[in-house]
Amino acid sequence: TSMQPELTDLLDDAANAGITCHALMSENTWALAENHARGLAKVSDILTYNRSLTGSGRITGIHLDVEVHSLDEFKTAKRNVFTDPEALATIQDLLGQWLDFVEQVTLMARAEQTPLTVSCVVPQWFMKDGSPYNLVWKGVDRNVTDHLLRIVDEVVVLAYYYKPLSIAKRAREEIAAAAAAGTGSVRVAVNVSHKSVPTETLWAGGLEAMEIALADIQATYAGSISYSGTAIHMAESLRLLITE
């Protein structure tokens, strides 16, 4: 594409600065089986481009922000899951399609001569007590996040909340599950978006709230073998907070 020279230069600059770069994939409909081929074609493009590079910089990972829980059919089923038996079946079917896609992406990334890491986002409520997000996949009955931990290199928990000292505990089930599985790591994401629902973002508290949250997450999980760090959503809002 016309952006390739600029991207190549950026990757080289990042590598020279000790920064790793991952490709972000964020089309939610790729979770559906009917659209897997389109998503996998994008992965193939990323890998082909990566192989063409001759400098020091490379795309070292693929980050899947493919949010099955944001699809309209998932949201409808979620609203009715405790009253409509068919709603649970719909959710399990959608989750299964999503896991299939994530697995295919991961296999492609790991098949490269220099394998790419794969990370994938999950909402924090998939693993909460009483959550109906278990399914039989590949013959095993587990919570969907527990399945995911056995596929990708890293799960990024969207622990979005407006109270900074209440965020760390929103990832405790995932941290524990990863440690028990002995595979996959967990990154905890905080939200500073000015576009989010107020109860799901630290925006109103500014940089101070974000720094408190990040420090508390680090203090809570620094000793865990399954904890891989934090993430911040989103860059646009973070820039606004910094410049205020």
Side-chain angles (χ1 to χ4, degrees):
T1 68
S2 60
M3 284 298 294
Q4 281 192 2
E6 290 85 351
L7 178 57
T8 301
D9 290 344
L10 176 63
L11 290 172
D12 285 339
D13 289 344
N16 292 332
I19 299 170
T20 58
C21 296
H22 291 193
L24 171 66
M25 300 182 65
S26 58
E27 173 53 58
N28 295 332
T29 61
W30 289 340
L32 301 174
E34 64 194 61
N35 298 320
H36 284 182
R38 291 168 54 199
L40 295 175
K42 294 294 184 182
V43 175
S44 182
D45 289 344
I46 292 168
L47 300 179
T48 299
Y49 169 68
N50 220 30
R51 293 186 215 113
S52 74
L53 298 175
T54 57
S56 59
R58 290 288 187 280
I59 296 170
T60 62
I62 295 175
H63 178 62
L64 295 175
D65 189 21
V66 177
E67 301 184 7
V68 64
H69 59 281
S70 293
L71 296 174
D72 288 341
E73 48 265 66
F74 191 102
K75 291 179 179 178
T76 299
K78 181 186 174 187
R79 285 194 297 269
N80 301 320
V81 70
F82 294 111
T83 58
D84 180 3
E86 293 185 5
L88 180 58
T90 296
I91 286 175
Q92 292 178 335
D93 179 55
L94 291 170
L95 292 175
Q97 292 180 57
W98 178 57
L99 289 174
D100 288 342
F101 176 70
V102 173
E103 181 185 53
Q104 291 177 77
V105 172
T106 304
L107 290 173
M108 290 176 67
R110 289 178 178 167
E112 292 296 285
Q113 184 173 0
T114 302
L116 282 73
T117 61
V118 178
S119 57
C120 185
V121 304
V122 292
Q124 53 87 25
W125 38 266
F126 270 178
M127 291 200 88
K128 294 308 175 211
D129 290 343
S131 296
Y133 304 112
N134 278 42
L135 75 155
V136 176
W137 187 73
K138 302 289 185 179
V140 180
D141 188 358
R142 290 192 181 104
N143 180 275
V144 61
T145 300
D146 220 348
H147 281 302
L148 196 63
L149 285 164
R150 290 167 167 82
I151 302 172
V152 298
D153 299 287
E154 181 180 72
V155 165
V156 181
V157 181
L158 306 180
Y160 295 172
Y161 201 51
Y162 73 105
K163 294 182 178 181
L165 291 177
S166 296
I167 291 176
K169 66 182 181 182
R170 290 176 168 251
R172 61 190 175 194
E173 291 88 354
E174 291 83 359
I175 293 284
T183 180
S185 63
V186 175
R187 186 173 297 273
V188 185
V190 301
N191 185 16
V192 298
S193 173
H194 60 292
K195 298 179 180 179
S196 295
V197 177
T199 56
E200 296 180 0
T201 176
L202 295 166
W203 171 258
L207 285 177
E208 181 181 5
M210 183 191 75
E211 291 168 354
I212 290 171
L214 295 177
D216 188 52
I217 294 166
Q218 181 69 15
T220 302
Y221 297 120
S224 173
I225 59 171
S226 57
Y227 171 67
S228 54
T230 54
I232 302 169
H233 175 76
M234 61 182 179
E236 177 187 353
S237 298
L238 183 57
R239 282 195 296 267
L240 289 173
L241 286 177
I242 291 172
T243 56
E244 279 191 347

